[in-house]
Amino acid sequence: MRHKISGRKLDRPTGHRIAMFRNMVTDLLDHEKLITTEAKAKEVRGMAEKMITLGKAGGLHSYRQALTFLYDKKVADKLFTELAPRYAERHGGYTRIIKLGPRLGDGASMAKLELVQ
């Protein structure tokens, strides 16, 4: 039974999975949209929203916490200077998932994860 167990393993080792999620959050914040499988999009959504919440908090401690997760310093700067002020009045719900249908190669359900404007 899987009671109280959260998160998807996605058939990957822990280190690979965490690195993949960090890459995806960094790319999402950089390009403001991401096309991936539906399961990955659902996992990345929460992490991206936590990063935006850190950006809204501001301050040096939040900036350093964001730098420990994001791979690119320029993306962290963008998070704190552009994205955080954009969502200053919004209380969560910074991302949306749009289902795109099955992938041609293997039929995996695809989704577009994007930042709400």
Side-chain angles (χ1 to χ4, degrees):
M1 289 183 269
R2 289 182 45 89
H3 299 305
K4 298 268 198 170
I5 298 175
S6 64
R8 295 168 177 85
K9 291 190 176 182
L10 300 173
D11 199 26
R12 285 172 170 78
T14 305
H16 180 181
R17 185 173 59 250
I18 293 171
M20 179 185 65
F21 289 153
R22 289 176 64 188
N23 272 323
M24 292 175 80
V25 170
T26 303
D27 288 343
L28 175 65
L29 295 177
D30 190 17
H31 302 293
E32 300 188 14
K33 63 182 176 180
L34 186 68
I35 295 177
T36 183
T37 62
E38 194 175 325
K40 288 179 192 173
K42 287 179 180 181
E43 283 298 310
V44 169
R45 173 179 49 190
M47 298 173 194
E49 298 212 357
K50 285 179 185 173
M51 288 296 111
I52 294 173
T53 303
L54 279 176
K56 285 174 58 176
L60 183 61
H61 182 62
S62 296
Y63 183 75
R64 287 179 174 166
Q65 283 182 315
L67 282 177
T68 61
F69 190 81
L70 300 174
Y71 278 128
D72 193 357
K73 186 179 182 300
K74 292 177 186 174
V75 174
D77 293 338
K78 178 181 179 180
L79 172 65
F80 280 81
T81 58
E82 294 176 29
L83 298 178
R86 184 193 307 174
Y87 299 114
E89 298 299 319
R90 192 174 183 100
H91 302 292
Y94 314 116
T95 59
R96 94 169 40 104
I97 295 177
I98 301 169
K99 296 180 182 180
L100 299 176
R103 183 163 52 194
L104 289 177
D106 59 356
S109 58
M110 297 298 286
K112 180 179 184 181
L113 177 65
E114 62 184 12
L115 297 179
V116 176
Q117 293 301 325

